[in-house]
Amino acid sequence: MGRSLIGPRIRERRRTLGLTQADVAAKAGISASYLNLIEGNKRSIGGTLLQRIAAQLGLAVDDIDGAAERRLLDDLEELAGETLFAGLQLNRSSASELASRHAPWAHALIALHRSWLDRNRAVDALSDRLTQDPRLADAVHDLLTKASAIRSSSEILENVHDLEPAQRARFTSIVGSNSRKLADAAQALAAYFDSTHADARSNMPVEELDDFLVERDNYFPELERVAAEFRAAAGIEGDCGDGELLAFLERRHSVQLRVQAAADLPPGVDPRHFAYDPVARTITIADSAPPASRRFALARTATALHDGGRSIAAELDRATALTSDMARRRAERALSSYLAAAVLMPYAAFRDAAARSRYDIEYLARRFLASIEQVCHRLVTLRRPGESGIPFGLLRVDAAGFVTKRFALPHLSLPRHGNACPLWAAYGAFQAPGAVVRQLAEFPSGDRFLFVAQTVEKTRPAFAMPRRLLSIMLACNALYADQTIYGDGLSTASPAGIVPVGTNCRTCVRRACAYREEDPIIDA
């Protein structure tokens, strides 16, 4: 969905409301002649000006710039990338027409596609269990053994008529005992299949969470307000350290922090996370947890106790995109993390520091005593109207290419399933663990983005286990590159240094790409 639709949409909405160009321009803080150029698509528009005009017209920004339709188009193109449709010769122009002219039908197709993926995952999980799980083989063998014993003893009782009473009693006992064991084994097997089905987790909640965050532009003003109120109540004026949080928890809620060796943690407590016991009023965290993780755990607990979860519950009640309990639980965790980040990295101070440092993520991590991942998450939330930062997207992948977090941008489609383009900086970062990797990427559409990626290492559960590296990638439109330190030395005017990329191999039209791993499914 091209940006050329913005001007006509503004003009159409203004006329529908019976407003003149002078009316809208005056309230938006621009001249009527400049608005006339915008409506005629002779001037580009975005950022705070677009937000002001949208507010005057009573529209969401997505309704004007076509972001909602672009997301729908991205989903349709991903659907078309399924090998099931390889022979249908689907193309982008027809997907765009369906998204713009028949949006309800397009949404129905996307819902069916997600449901189909969900069912396939359940079938695959059950199939793996049936063919590979040794417990199932043992259970079936146990059933057959007990059934054979019952059958043999029953045949003896039925066919041998001169058995001594003691012998008949012994075989009767064998039948009874094995019958009870057979019933127990059958019940255990039934319970096993129930748990197997429960373990075939649906990916729909993840997608619903994505939709929820995109719908809200990943900015929650009410949570920002609650974070500011918490800082005031806790007497935090500058940087927020462990001491301030612990003092608040002890003073207001009589909560103590328990730091234990990972080997001594209570059952069920993951060394990578923390546990809050509301009865004992303790927070338990491993001594191996990084300082940034410890502060984050304290902030999450303190804000939850201070607010009682009311603000997050209110956000969830307004969320029409969350249709399942699992999606709501995921969203609750995401909002809890959002609130903690807003306390540790208050909006205005963090935005100003980001702008002054030209979005240096390593500096911001040191400045706010945070992890690289926490800083990147916070950068994506700087969407306050009139006080926004650079609009960033975010992608987190593991070494296998599995996408574990995503936040897309207009004109930048991030894959929901499977790997992204192997040329993306997110994967290049694994070649230089710990170093910041930058990249000026150009898509077949001509859109250019600055990618900035760095690996982070999560705590591994034991020495014998491999290192657990994840790659965090920020993305912004190349037009903002000169506002970041990562744009220094990069030229958006010259093709030299620009990497030609796609979204993923199945939907990329660059047929001669040396890095292609799959044949394209969608015709250009």
Side-chain angles (χ1 to χ4, degrees), residues 205-268:
V206 179
E207 295 167 347
E208 289 183 2
L209 175 59
D210 285 346
D211 292 341
F212 167 62
L213 294 176
V214 170
E215 183 182 276
R216 299 296 301 274
D217 205 21
N218 205 20
Y219 174 68
F220 297 86
E222 180 62 18
L223 298 187
E224 299 285 353
R225 182 191 64 78
V226 172
E229 287 184 353
F230 170 82
R231 288 176 63 89
I236 303 171
E237 295 183 357
D239 293 340
C240 179
D242 290 13
E244 291 89 343
L245 294 169
L246 281 170
F248 175 84
L249 285 166
E250 293 174 1
R251 183 176 67 253
R252 292 289 187 91
H253 302 285
S254 301
V255 172
Q256 301 286 328
L257 174 66
R258 295 176 57 194
V259 179
Q260 289 186 258
D264 298 331
L265 288 174

Short mmCIF file of all heavy atoms in Angstrom, two decimals, residues 205-268:
data_model
loop_
_atom_site.label_atom_id
_atom_site.label_comp_id
_atom_site.label_asym_id
_atom_site.label_seq_id
_atom_site.Cartn_x
_atom_site.Cartn_y
_atom_site.Cartn_z
N PRO A 205 -1.89 -17.47 19.96
CA PRO A 205 -1.71 -16.43 20.98
C PRO A 205 -0.55 -15.50 20.68
O PRO A 205 -0.63 -14.30 20.96
CB PRO A 205 -1.48 -17.24 22.26
CG PRO A 205 -2.17 -18.53 22.02
CD PRO A 205 -1.96 -18.81 20.56
N VAL A 206 0.54 -16.03 20.12
CA VAL A 206 1.67 -15.17 19.77
C VAL A 206 1.26 -14.17 18.71
O VAL A 206 1.60 -12.98 18.77
CB VAL A 206 2.85 -16.04 19.26
CG1 VAL A 206 4.02 -15.16 18.86
CG2 VAL A 206 3.27 -17.02 20.33
N GLU A 207 0.51 -14.62 17.72
CA GLU A 207 0.08 -13.74 16.65
C GLU A 207 -0.93 -12.71 17.15
O GLU A 207 -0.92 -11.55 16.73
CB GLU A 207 -0.52 -14.57 15.51
CG GLU A 207 0.52 -15.48 14.86
CD GLU A 207 -0.10 -16.53 13.96
OE1 GLU A 207 -1.33 -16.72 14.03
OE2 GLU A 207 0.64 -17.16 13.21
N GLU A 208 -1.80 -13.14 18.06
CA GLU A 208 -2.76 -12.19 18.63
C GLU A 208 -2.04 -11.12 19.44
O GLU A 208 -2.43 -9.95 19.41
CB GLU A 208 -3.77 -12.93 19.51
CG GLU A 208 -4.75 -13.78 18.71
CD GLU A 208 -5.79 -14.45 19.61
OE1 GLU A 208 -5.76 -14.21 20.83
OE2 GLU A 208 -6.62 -15.20 19.08
N LEU A 209 -0.98 -11.52 20.15
CA LEU A 209 -0.19 -10.54 20.89
C LEU A 209 0.47 -9.55 19.93
O LEU A 209 0.49 -8.34 20.19
CB LEU A 209 0.87 -11.24 21.73
CG LEU A 209 1.85 -10.33 22.49
CD1 LEU A 209 1.11 -9.40 23.44
CD2 LEU A 209 2.87 -11.16 23.25
N ASP A 210 1.02 -10.06 18.81
CA ASP A 210 1.59 -9.18 17.80
C ASP A 210 0.57 -8.15 17.32
O ASP A 210 0.85 -6.95 17.24
CB ASP A 210 2.08 -9.98 16.59
CG ASP A 210 3.37 -10.74 16.88
OD1 ASP A 210 4.01 -10.43 17.90
OD2 ASP A 210 3.72 -11.63 16.10
N ASP A 211 -0.63 -8.64 17.00
CA ASP A 211 -1.68 -7.75 16.50
C ASP A 211 -2.07 -6.71 17.54
O ASP A 211 -2.31 -5.54 17.23
CB ASP A 211 -2.91 -8.57 16.10
CG ASP A 211 -2.66 -9.44 14.88
OD1 ASP A 211 -1.69 -9.16 14.15
OD2 ASP A 211 -3.41 -10.41 14.67
N PHE A 212 -2.13 -7.13 18.80
CA PHE A 212 -2.48 -6.22 19.89
C PHE A 212 -1.45 -5.10 20.02
O PHE A 212 -1.81 -3.91 20.14
CB PHE A 212 -2.58 -7.03 21.19
CG PHE A 212 -2.64 -6.22 22.44
CD1 PHE A 212 -3.69 -5.32 22.67
CD2 PHE A 212 -1.65 -6.33 23.41
CE1 PHE A 212 -3.74 -4.57 23.84
CE2 PHE A 212 -1.69 -5.59 24.57
CZ PHE A 212 -2.74 -4.70 24.79
N LEU A 213 -0.17 -5.45 19.99
CA LEU A 213 0.88 -4.44 20.14
C LEU A 213 0.92 -3.49 18.95
O LEU A 213 1.08 -2.28 19.10
CB LEU A 213 2.23 -5.12 20.33
CG LEU A 213 2.40 -5.93 21.62
CD1 LEU A 213 3.76 -6.62 21.63
CD2 LEU A 213 2.24 -5.05 22.84
N VAL A 214 0.76 -4.05 17.75
CA VAL A 214 0.77 -3.20 16.55
C VAL A 214 -0.44 -2.28 16.55
O VAL A 214 -0.35 -1.10 16.20
CB VAL A 214 0.79 -4.08 15.28
CG1 VAL A 214 0.54 -3.24 14.04
CG2 VAL A 214 2.14 -4.79 15.15
N GLU A 215 -1.59 -2.79 16.97
CA GLU A 215 -2.81 -1.99 17.03
C GLU A 215 -2.63 -0.78 17.94
O GLU A 215 -3.15 0.30 17.68
CB GLU A 215 -3.95 -2.88 17.53
CG GLU A 215 -5.30 -2.21 17.59
CD GLU A 215 -6.36 -3.16 18.13
OE1 GLU A 215 -6.90 -3.95 17.34
OE2 GLU A 215 -6.62 -3.13 19.35
N ARG A 216 -1.88 -0.95 19.02
CA ARG A 216 -1.64 0.14 19.97
C ARG A 216 -0.33 0.87 19.69
O ARG A 216 0.08 1.73 20.47
CB ARG A 216 -1.61 -0.43 21.39
CG ARG A 216 -2.92 -1.08 21.83
CD ARG A 216 -4.07 -0.10 21.88
NE ARG A 216 -3.77 0.97 22.81
CZ ARG A 216 -3.99 0.91 24.11
NH1 ARG A 216 -4.54 -0.18 24.64
NH2 ARG A 216 -3.69 1.93 24.90
N ASP A 217 0.33 0.53 18.58
CA ASP A 217 1.61 1.13 18.21
C ASP A 217 2.65 0.92 19.30
O ASP A 217 3.59 1.71 19.44
CB ASP A 217 1.44 2.63 17.92
CG ASP A 217 2.52 3.16 16.98
OD1 ASP A 217 3.11 2.34 16.26
OD2 ASP A 217 2.76 4.38 16.98
N ASN A 218 2.46 -0.11 20.10
CA ASN A 218 3.36 -0.46 21.20
C ASN A 218 3.62 0.71 22.14
O ASN A 218 4.71 0.85 22.70
CB ASN A 218 4.69 -1.00 20.66
CG ASN A 218 5.39 -1.91 21.66
OD1 ASN A 218 4.77 -2.44 22.57
ND2 ASN A 218 6.68 -2.10 21.51
N TYR A 219 2.62 1.54 22.31
CA TYR A 219 2.72 2.67 23.25
C TYR A 219 1.46 2.69 24.11
O TYR A 219 0.34 2.70 23.59
CB TYR A 219 2.87 3.99 22.51
CG TYR A 219 2.83 5.19 23.43
CD1 TYR A 219 3.87 5.42 24.34
CD2 TYR A 219 1.76 6.07 23.43
CE1 TYR A 219 3.83 6.50 25.21
CE2 TYR A 219 1.71 7.15 24.28
CZ TYR A 219 2.75 7.37 25.17
OH TYR A 219 2.71 8.43 26.04
N PHE A 220 1.65 2.71 25.44
CA PHE A 220 0.54 2.63 26.37
C PHE A 220 0.64 3.80 27.36
O PHE A 220 1.34 3.72 28.37
CB PHE A 220 0.56 1.30 27.12
CG PHE A 220 0.37 0.10 26.22
CD1 PHE A 220 1.46 -0.48 25.59
CD2 PHE A 220 -0.89 -0.41 25.98
CE1 PHE A 220 1.30 -1.56 24.74
CE2 PHE A 220 -1.07 -1.49 25.13
CZ PHE A 220 0.02 -2.06 24.51
N PRO A 221 -0.02 4.91 27.03
CA PRO A 221 0.10 6.12 27.87
C PRO A 221 -0.34 5.90 29.31
O PRO A 221 0.22 6.50 30.23
CB PRO A 221 -0.80 7.14 27.16
CG PRO A 221 -1.69 6.34 26.25
CD PRO A 221 -0.91 5.13 25.87
N GLU A 222 -1.33 5.04 29.55
CA GLU A 222 -1.78 4.81 30.92
C GLU A 222 -0.68 4.12 31.74
O GLU A 222 -0.49 4.43 32.92
CB GLU A 222 -3.05 3.96 30.91
CG GLU A 222 -3.62 3.66 32.30
CD GLU A 222 -4.05 4.90 33.06
OE1 GLU A 222 -4.23 5.96 32.41
OE2 GLU A 222 -4.20 4.82 34.29
N LEU A 223 0.04 3.20 31.13
CA LEU A 223 1.13 2.54 31.84
C LEU A 223 2.28 3.51 32.10
O LEU A 223 2.95 3.42 33.14
CB LEU A 223 1.62 1.33 31.06
CG LEU A 223 0.61 0.20 30.82
CD1 LEU A 223 1.28 -1.01 30.19
CD2 LEU A 223 -0.07 -0.21 32.13
N GLU A 224 2.50 4.42 31.17
CA GLU A 224 3.53 5.45 31.39
C GLU A 224 3.14 6.31 32.60
O GLU A 224 3.99 6.69 33.41
CB GLU A 224 3.69 6.32 30.14
CG GLU A 224 4.13 5.57 28.89
CD GLU A 224 5.60 5.20 28.90
OE1 GLU A 224 6.33 5.63 29.81
OE2 GLU A 224 6.02 4.45 27.99
N ARG A 225 1.85 6.63 32.70
CA ARG A 225 1.37 7.44 33.83
C ARG A 225 1.54 6.69 35.14
O ARG A 225 2.00 7.26 36.14
CB ARG A 225 -0.11 7.81 33.62
CG ARG A 225 -0.68 8.71 34.72
CD ARG A 225 -2.18 8.82 34.61
NE ARG A 225 -2.85 7.55 34.83
CZ ARG A 225 -3.04 7.00 36.02
NH1 ARG A 225 -2.59 7.61 37.12
NH2 ARG A 225 -3.66 5.85 36.13
N VAL A 226 1.19 5.40 35.15
CA VAL A 226 1.33 4.60 36.37
C VAL A 226 2.81 4.50 36.77
O VAL A 226 3.14 4.56 37.96
CB VAL A 226 0.74 3.19 36.15
CG1 VAL A 226 1.05 2.28 37.33
CG2 VAL A 226 -0.78 3.29 35.96
N ALA A 227 3.69 4.36 35.78
CA ALA A 227 5.12 4.29 36.08
C ALA A 227 5.61 5.58 36.74
O ALA A 227 6.39 5.55 37.70
CB ALA A 227 5.92 4.03 34.80
N ALA A 228 5.13 6.73 36.24
CA ALA A 228 5.52 8.02 36.83
C ALA A 228 4.99 8.13 38.25
O ALA A 228 5.68 8.63 39.16
CB ALA A 228 5.00 9.16 35.96
N GLU A 229 3.76 7.67 38.48
CA GLU A 229 3.18 7.71 39.83
C GLU A 229 3.96 6.81 40.78
O GLU A 229 4.19 7.17 41.95
CB GLU A 229 1.71 7.26 39.78
CG GLU A 229 0.76 8.28 39.17
CD GLU A 229 -0.67 7.81 39.25
OE1 GLU A 229 -0.89 6.64 39.65
OE2 GLU A 229 -1.58 8.59 38.89
N PHE A 230 4.38 5.66 40.29
CA PHE A 230 5.17 4.75 41.14
C PHE A 230 6.49 5.40 41.53
O PHE A 230 6.90 5.32 42.69
CB PHE A 230 5.43 3.43 40.42
CG PHE A 230 6.41 2.56 41.13
CD1 PHE A 230 6.02 1.76 42.19
CD2 PHE A 230 7.77 2.56 40.76
CE1 PHE A 230 6.93 0.98 42.87
CE2 PHE A 230 8.69 1.78 41.44
CZ PHE A 230 8.26 0.99 42.50
N ARG A 231 7.18 6.01 40.58
CA ARG A 231 8.46 6.65 40.90
C ARG A 231 8.27 7.73 41.96
O ARG A 231 9.10 7.87 42.87
CB ARG A 231 9.07 7.25 39.62
CG ARG A 231 9.61 6.19 38.66
CD ARG A 231 10.11 6.83 37.37
NE ARG A 231 11.22 7.73 37.62
CZ ARG A 231 12.50 7.38 37.63
NH1 ARG A 231 12.84 6.11 37.42
NH2 ARG A 231 13.45 8.26 37.85
N ALA A 232 7.17 8.48 41.86
CA ALA A 232 6.90 9.52 42.86
C ALA A 232 6.63 8.90 44.22
O ALA A 232 7.13 9.36 45.25
CB ALA A 232 5.73 10.38 42.40
N ALA A 233 5.83 7.82 44.25
CA ALA A 233 5.50 7.16 45.51
C ALA A 233 6.72 6.53 46.16
O ALA A 233 6.84 6.48 47.39
CB ALA A 233 4.42 6.10 45.28
N ALA A 234 7.65 6.05 45.33
CA ALA A 234 8.86 5.41 45.85
C ALA A 234 9.96 6.42 46.12
O ALA A 234 11.04 6.04 46.61
CB ALA A 234 9.35 4.35 44.87
N GLY A 235 9.70 7.69 45.80
CA GLY A 235 10.71 8.73 46.04
C GLY A 235 11.90 8.64 45.11
O GLY A 235 13.01 9.05 45.46
N ILE A 236 11.67 8.14 43.90
CA ILE A 236 12.76 7.99 42.92
C ILE A 236 12.76 9.21 42.01
O ILE A 236 11.80 9.46 41.29
CB ILE A 236 12.57 6.71 42.08
CG1 ILE A 236 12.50 5.48 42.98
CG2 ILE A 236 13.70 6.56 41.07
CD1 ILE A 236 12.10 4.21 42.26
N GLU A 237 13.83 9.97 42.03
CA GLU A 237 13.90 11.18 41.21
C GLU A 237 14.83 11.01 40.02
O GLU A 237 14.56 11.52 38.94
CB GLU A 237 14.38 12.35 42.07
CG GLU A 237 13.40 12.73 43.19
CD GLU A 237 13.87 13.92 43.98
OE1 GLU A 237 14.99 14.43 43.69
OE2 GLU A 237 13.14 14.37 44.88
N GLY A 238 15.93 10.32 40.18
CA GLY A 238 16.86 10.11 39.07
C GLY A 238 16.86 8.67 38.64
O GLY A 238 15.82 8.06 38.39
N ASP A 239 18.07 8.11 38.57
CA ASP A 239 18.18 6.70 38.18
C ASP A 239 17.58 5.80 39.25
O ASP A 239 17.64 6.10 40.44
CB ASP A 239 19.65 6.33 37.97
CG ASP A 239 20.25 7.04 36.77
OD1 ASP A 239 19.47 7.49 35.92
OD2 ASP A 239 21.49 7.16 36.69
N CYS A 240 17.02 4.71 38.79
CA CYS A 240 16.35 3.77 39.70
C CYS A 240 17.24 2.55 39.88
O CYS A 240 17.45 1.78 38.95
CB CYS A 240 14.99 3.37 39.12
SG CYS A 240 14.08 2.19 40.12
N GLY A 241 17.78 2.38 41.09
CA GLY A 241 18.64 1.24 41.37
C GLY A 241 17.97 0.20 42.24
O GLY A 241 16.81 0.36 42.65
N ASP A 242 18.71 -0.86 42.54
CA ASP A 242 18.18 -1.91 43.39
C ASP A 242 17.75 -1.38 44.75
O ASP A 242 16.72 -1.78 45.31
CB ASP A 242 19.24 -3.00 43.61
CG ASP A 242 19.53 -3.81 42.35
OD1 ASP A 242 19.09 -3.36 41.27
OD2 ASP A 242 20.17 -4.85 42.45
N GLY A 243 18.56 -0.47 45.30
CA GLY A 243 18.29 0.03 46.65
C GLY A 243 16.95 0.70 46.78
O GLY A 243 16.21 0.43 47.74
N GLU A 244 16.61 1.57 45.83
CA GLU A 244 15.31 2.25 45.89
C GLU A 244 14.15 1.27 45.80
O GLU A 244 13.15 1.40 46.51
CB GLU A 244 15.21 3.29 44.77
CG GLU A 244 16.11 4.49 44.92
CD GLU A 244 17.47 4.25 44.29
OE1 GLU A 244 17.79 3.07 44.04
OE2 GLU A 244 18.20 5.23 44.06
N LEU A 245 14.28 0.29 44.90
CA LEU A 245 13.20 -0.69 44.73
C LEU A 245 13.05 -1.57 45.96
O LEU A 245 11.93 -1.84 46.42
CB LEU A 245 13.47 -1.54 43.50
CG LEU A 245 13.43 -0.79 42.15
CD1 LEU A 245 13.98 -1.66 41.03
CD2 LEU A 245 12.00 -0.35 41.83
N LEU A 246 14.18 -2.03 46.50
CA LEU A 246 14.13 -2.87 47.70
C LEU A 246 13.56 -2.10 48.88
O LEU A 246 12.76 -2.64 49.67
CB LEU A 246 15.52 -3.39 48.03
CG LEU A 246 16.02 -4.56 47.20
CD1 LEU A 246 17.49 -4.83 47.45
CD2 LEU A 246 15.20 -5.82 47.48
N ALA A 247 13.96 -0.83 49.04
CA ALA A 247 13.45 -0.02 50.14
C ALA A 247 11.94 0.16 50.02
O ALA A 247 11.21 0.06 51.02
CB ALA A 247 14.13 1.35 50.14
N PHE A 248 11.46 0.38 48.82
CA PHE A 248 10.00 0.52 48.62
C PHE A 248 9.28 -0.78 48.96
O PHE A 248 8.25 -0.77 49.64
CB PHE A 248 9.72 0.93 47.17
CG PHE A 248 8.25 0.98 46.84
CD1 PHE A 248 7.50 2.11 47.13
CD2 PHE A 248 7.62 -0.10 46.24
CE1 PHE A 248 6.14 2.15 46.83
CE2 PHE A 248 6.27 -0.07 45.94
CZ PHE A 248 5.53 1.07 46.24
N LEU A 249 9.80 -1.90 48.46
CA LEU A 249 9.16 -3.19 48.71
C LEU A 249 9.11 -3.52 50.20
O LEU A 249 8.10 -4.01 50.71
CB LEU A 249 9.89 -4.28 47.94
CG LEU A 249 9.65 -4.33 46.43
CD1 LEU A 249 10.66 -5.23 45.75
CD2 LEU A 249 8.23 -4.82 46.13
N GLU A 250 10.20 -3.23 50.91
CA GLU A 250 10.23 -3.52 52.34
C GLU A 250 9.34 -2.56 53.12
O GLU A 250 8.63 -2.96 54.05
CB GLU A 250 11.68 -3.44 52.85
CG GLU A 250 12.58 -4.54 52.28
CD GLU A 250 14.02 -4.34 52.67
OE1 GLU A 250 14.32 -3.37 53.40
OE2 GLU A 250 14.87 -5.16 52.26
N ARG A 251 9.37 -1.28 52.74
CA ARG A 251 8.63 -0.26 53.50
C ARG A 251 7.13 -0.38 53.28
O ARG A 251 6.35 -0.32 54.23
CB ARG A 251 9.11 1.13 53.07
CG ARG A 251 8.45 2.28 53.83
CD ARG A 251 9.03 3.62 53.43
NE ARG A 251 8.72 3.99 52.06
CZ ARG A 251 9.57 3.98 51.06
NH1 ARG A 251 10.83 3.61 51.26
NH2 ARG A 251 9.21 4.35 49.84
N ARG A 252 6.72 -0.56 52.04
CA ARG A 252 5.29 -0.56 51.72
C ARG A 252 4.64 -1.94 51.78
O ARG A 252 3.44 -2.05 52.08
CB ARG A 252 5.07 0.03 50.31
CG ARG A 252 5.39 1.50 50.19
CD ARG A 252 4.34 2.37 50.91
NE ARG A 252 4.56 3.77 50.65
CZ ARG A 252 4.00 4.44 49.65
NH1 ARG A 252 3.21 3.82 48.78
NH2 ARG A 252 4.24 5.73 49.47
N HIS A 253 5.40 -2.97 51.46
CA HIS A 253 4.78 -4.29 51.30
C HIS A 253 5.48 -5.39 52.09
O HIS A 253 5.09 -6.56 51.97
CB HIS A 253 4.74 -4.67 49.82
CG HIS A 253 4.01 -3.67 48.96
ND1 HIS A 253 2.65 -3.55 48.95
CD2 HIS A 253 4.49 -2.72 48.11
CE1 HIS A 253 2.29 -2.59 48.12
NE2 HIS A 253 3.39 -2.06 47.60
N SER A 254 6.48 -5.06 52.89
CA SER A 254 7.21 -6.04 53.71
C SER A 254 7.73 -7.21 52.88
O SER A 254 7.71 -8.37 53.32
CB SER A 254 6.30 -6.57 54.83
OG SER A 254 5.85 -5.51 55.65
N VAL A 255 8.19 -6.91 51.68
CA VAL A 255 8.71 -7.94 50.78
C VAL A 255 10.23 -7.95 50.86
O VAL A 255 10.87 -6.90 50.82
CB VAL A 255 8.24 -7.69 49.33
CG1 VAL A 255 8.94 -8.65 48.37
CG2 VAL A 255 6.74 -7.87 49.23
N GLN A 256 10.81 -9.14 50.97
CA GLN A 256 12.26 -9.31 51.05
C GLN A 256 12.77 -10.00 49.79
O GLN A 256 12.07 -10.78 49.15
CB GLN A 256 12.63 -10.16 52.28
CG GLN A 256 12.16 -9.60 53.60
CD GLN A 256 12.98 -8.40 54.04
OE1 GLN A 256 14.17 -8.33 53.75
NE2 GLN A 256 12.35 -7.47 54.74
N LEU A 257 14.02 -9.70 49.45
CA LEU A 257 14.69 -10.36 48.32
C LEU A 257 15.56 -11.50 48.84
O LEU A 257 16.34 -11.31 49.77
CB LEU A 257 15.54 -9.35 47.55
CG LEU A 257 16.41 -9.95 46.42
CD1 LEU A 257 15.53 -10.50 45.31
CD2 LEU A 257 17.38 -8.90 45.89
N ARG A 258 15.41 -12.67 48.25
CA ARG A 258 16.25 -13.83 48.58
C ARG A 258 17.08 -14.18 47.36
O ARG A 258 16.52 -14.50 46.30
CB ARG A 258 15.40 -15.02 48.98
CG ARG A 258 14.61 -14.84 50.27
CD ARG A 258 13.73 -16.06 50.52
NE ARG A 258 14.54 -17.28 50.58
CZ ARG A 258 14.01 -18.51 50.51
NH1 ARG A 258 12.69 -18.66 50.37
NH2 ARG A 258 14.78 -19.57 50.61
N VAL A 259 18.39 -14.09 47.48
CA VAL A 259 19.30 -14.46 46.39
C VAL A 259 19.91 -15.81 46.74
O VAL A 259 20.55 -15.97 47.77
CB VAL A 259 20.40 -13.40 46.20
CG1 VAL A 259 21.34 -13.82 45.08
CG2 VAL A 259 19.79 -12.03 45.91
N GLN A 260 19.67 -16.80 45.87
CA GLN A 260 20.14 -18.15 46.15
C GLN A 260 20.97 -18.69 45.00
O GLN A 260 20.81 -18.27 43.84
CB GLN A 260 18.94 -19.09 46.37
CG GLN A 260 18.18 -18.86 47.66
CD GLN A 260 17.12 -19.93 47.87
OE1 GLN A 260 15.95 -19.71 47.64
NE2 GLN A 260 17.56 -21.09 48.31
N ALA A 261 21.84 -19.62 45.33
CA ALA A 261 22.60 -20.32 44.30
C ALA A 261 21.62 -21.07 43.40
O ALA A 261 20.60 -21.59 43.87
CB ALA A 261 23.59 -21.29 44.93
N ALA A 262 21.92 -21.11 42.13
CA ALA A 262 21.01 -21.74 41.18
C ALA A 262 20.68 -23.17 41.57
O ALA A 262 19.55 -23.64 41.43
CB ALA A 262 21.61 -21.69 39.78
N ALA A 263 21.68 -23.89 42.12
CA ALA A 263 21.46 -25.30 42.50
C ALA A 263 20.54 -25.43 43.69
O ALA A 263 19.95 -26.50 43.92
CB ALA A 263 22.80 -25.96 42.81
N ASP A 264 20.38 -24.35 44.48
CA ASP A 264 19.55 -24.42 45.69
C ASP A 264 18.17 -23.80 45.51
O ASP A 264 17.42 -23.69 46.48
CB ASP A 264 20.26 -23.68 46.84
CG ASP A 264 21.60 -24.33 47.18
OD1 ASP A 264 21.71 -25.55 46.98
OD2 ASP A 264 22.50 -23.61 47.63
N LEU A 265 17.85 -23.41 44.29
CA LEU A 265 16.54 -22.79 44.06
C LEU A 265 15.42 -23.79 44.32
O LEU A 265 15.58 -24.99 44.07
CB LEU A 265 16.44 -22.27 42.62
CG LEU A 265 17.27 -21.03 42.29
CD1 LEU A 265 17.18 -20.73 40.80
CD2 LEU A 265 16.79 -19.83 43.09
N PRO A 266 14.27 -23.32 44.82
CA PRO A 266 13.14 -24.22 45.04
C PRO A 266 12.69 -24.87 43.74
O PRO A 266 12.92 -24.32 42.66
CB PRO A 266 12.05 -23.28 45.59
CG PRO A 266 12.79 -22.09 46.10
CD PRO A 266 13.98 -21.94 45.22
N PRO A 267 12.06 -26.04 43.82
CA PRO A 267 11.57 -26.71 42.61
C PRO A 267 10.64 -25.79 41.83
O PRO A 267 9.80 -25.10 42.40
CB PRO A 267 10.83 -27.93 43.15
CG PRO A 267 11.42 -28.17 44.51
CD PRO A 267 11.78 -26.81 45.05
N GLY A 268 10.79 -25.79 40.52
CA GLY A 268 9.92 -25.00 39.68
C GLY A 268 10.42 -23.59 39.41
O GLY A 268 9.83 -22.88 38.58
#
